Amino acid sequence: MPEHVHLLLRRPHREVLTVALQVLKQKTSRRLRPKAGEPFWQRRYYDFNVWTVDKHREKLEYIHRNPVQRGLVSRPEDWAWSGYPHYVTGAPGTVEIERFGVALEEKLDGWDE
């Protein structure tokens, strides 16, 4: 999106998610800050824990449809920064999505009970 980013992340194995996001924000803001002193990122991010396969699918579909709903493109695959083409076909692209498949479903099975 022009003014925000959607990330669907799995918790890092060795580090806490806040540390991973801190590093991401530091590295990108140093490279992309428009002017010295102006912040590139907002202070806080909105997070939502995903515990079920259905919720994972819902969030991923929302992310893919967001540029279409905003009128920026006609189809999800037309958004340059979308992982949709990789998600659907598995072909390499700008953004690649780890495909959890059965492993995710097994891991999350029963968590929403």
Side-chain angles (χ1 to χ4, degrees):
M1 305 306 309
E3 77 289 342
H4 68 275
V5 167
H6 293 278
L7 297 172
L8 184 57
L9 304 170
R10 234 183 346 169
R11 187 187 74 217
H13 293 289
R14 288 184 250 166
E15 302 292 335
V16 294
L17 185 56
T18 54
V19 173
L21 289 175
Q22 179 184 18
V23 170
L24 172 72
K25 285 180 158 188
Q26 285 174 345
K27 289 185 179 241
T28 55
S29 65
R30 287 182 185 139
R31 291 179 130 186
L32 302 174
R33 185 178 306 164
K35 295 180 184 173
E38 288 185 21
F40 182 80
W41 294 98
Q42 294 178 352
R43 289 188 170 271
R44 179 75 172 107
Y45 60 92
Y46 170 75
D47 61 347
F48 181 90
N49 292 324
V50 174
W51 299 107
T52 67
V53 173
D54 288 341
K55 190 56 75 171
H56 179 267
R57 196 172 294 118
E58 173 191 317
K59 294 299 181 184
L60 193 55
E61 288 173 3
Y62 170 82
I63 291 168
H64 289 154
R65 286 192 310 258
N66 200 223
V68 176
Q69 290 173 333
R70 296 273 308 273
L72 299 169
V73 293
S74 299
R75 305 172 308 162
E77 58 267 32
D78 294 337
W79 185 246
W81 294 102
S82 176
Y84 183 80
H86 181 258
Y87 178 72
V88 171
T89 68
T94 305
V95 178
E96 296 183 5
I97 296 175
E98 183 175 341
R99 298 181 64 110
F100 299 109
V102 175
L104 176 67
E105 292 182 16
E106 288 175 356
K107 183 176 181 181
L108 296 177
D109 186 37
W111 284 22
D112 58 344
E113 295 174 354

